[in-house]
Amino acid sequence: MRKYILLGGFLMLWGCGSSKNLQYVVPELDLERYMGTWYEIARFNHPFERGLISNQAKYTLRKDGKVQVLNTGIESDNPEKVKKAEAVAYRASEKKNGHLKVRFFPLISSHYIVIDLDKNYQYAVVTSNSKKYLWILSRSKTMSETLYQRLTEKLQERGFKTQNLIRVTQL
């Protein structure tokens, strides 16, 4: 129960703050194409994923137009233990852009802002409404070093502290 309370408090704080990243939101996000499994290539360190490897997110479009979210990760010191977090995502407004909100608990939602997206939906870069949280995602468990460097350079230009990115081990 304590973990859920801490996570809930964290998500409330995550939802607060500046909205600088909204200037970078992808102008159009086709939810149907975005569905499926995304592997975490890199992320900023934060408490709710600390010590986890092989992180992935599975998105499934529901009949009501919302997105069912299942995040999983394996504890690095106990590979037999898988941690899961389920949520529901929905568009933050009627615009079809990459700004979503994610609800893990009733009355607690956080921003999910897609700020870079491959035209073929093979990689995505996601943040919150502040520059404290960042994920580089891929449809495959690996990403070329050239692409990774290109993405991090673009993120640096946008003011992200890419030296704080943690590369995620995928099994």
Side-chain angles (χ1 to χ4, degrees):
M1 180 69 171
R2 182 175 173 215
K3 283 190 235 179
Y4 293 114
I5 292 169
L6 290 173
L7 180 60
F10 174 75
L11 289 172
M12 285 176 40
L13 291 174
W14 186 28
C16 302
S18 72
S19 57
K20 291 179 184 177
N21 291 318
L22 293 179
Q23 65 186 315
Y24 305 122
V25 65
V26 296
E28 187 171 328
L29 178 66
D30 181 338
L31 284 180
E32 288 185 22
R33 289 183 70 196
Y34 200 76
M35 296 302 99
T37 301
W38 289 90
Y39 298 94
E40 205 172 271
I41 301 300
R43 69 169 181 262
F44 281 170
N45 195 15
H46 39 73
F48 55 93
E49 286 187 296
R50 192 163 289 134
L52 297 181
I53 60 171
S54 207
N55 301 52
Q56 57 183 280
K58 183 175 181 182
Y59 303 112
T60 307
L61 194 59
R62 299 180 351 177
K63 289 181 182 179
D64 63 3
K66 294 181 180 177
V67 177
Q68 187 65 43
V69 178
L70 175 61
N71 293 326
T72 59
I74 298 171
E75 287 189 6
S76 60
D77 59 352
N78 184 2
E80 300 296 316
K81 189 164 184 181
V82 176
K83 292 218 172 181
K84 297 179 182 182
E86 293 187 49
V88 174
Y90 53 93
R91 293 202 186 268
S93 70
E94 291 189 25
K95 296 178 183 176
K96 301 289 184 185
N97 65 20
H99 185 195
L100 304 175
K101 286 205 169 185
V102 178
R103 180 167 287 141
F104 286 90
F105 302 103
L107 305 175
I108 300 172
S109 63
S110 55
H111 296 269
Y112 182 99
I113 303 170
V114 182
I115 60 171
D116 203 344
L117 181 64
D118 175 56
K119 66 180 180 178
N120 296 315
Y121 286 64
Q122 295 305 299
Y123 69 79
V125 179
V126 178
T127 188
S128 66
N129 61 337
S130 72
K131 291 184 175 169
K132 294 180 181 179
Y133 304 98
L134 185 67
W135 294 267
I136 297 176
L137 307 173
S138 176
R139 291 293 192 179
S140 61
K141 292 181 179 184
T142 61
M143 176 179 282
S144 77
E145 193 60 31
T146 303
L147 175 57
Y148 182 80
Q149 290 304 319
R150 193 173 84 225
L151 293 174
T152 57
E153 286 171 12
K154 192 173 181 180
L155 289 165
Q156 286 173 349
E157 291 170 7
R158 293 177 171 181
F160 287 91
K161 296 179 180 179
T162 59
Q163 68 272 17
N164 295 336
L165 280 168
I166 297 169
R167 298 290 286 262
V168 178
T169 300
Q170 289 290 340
L171 302 177

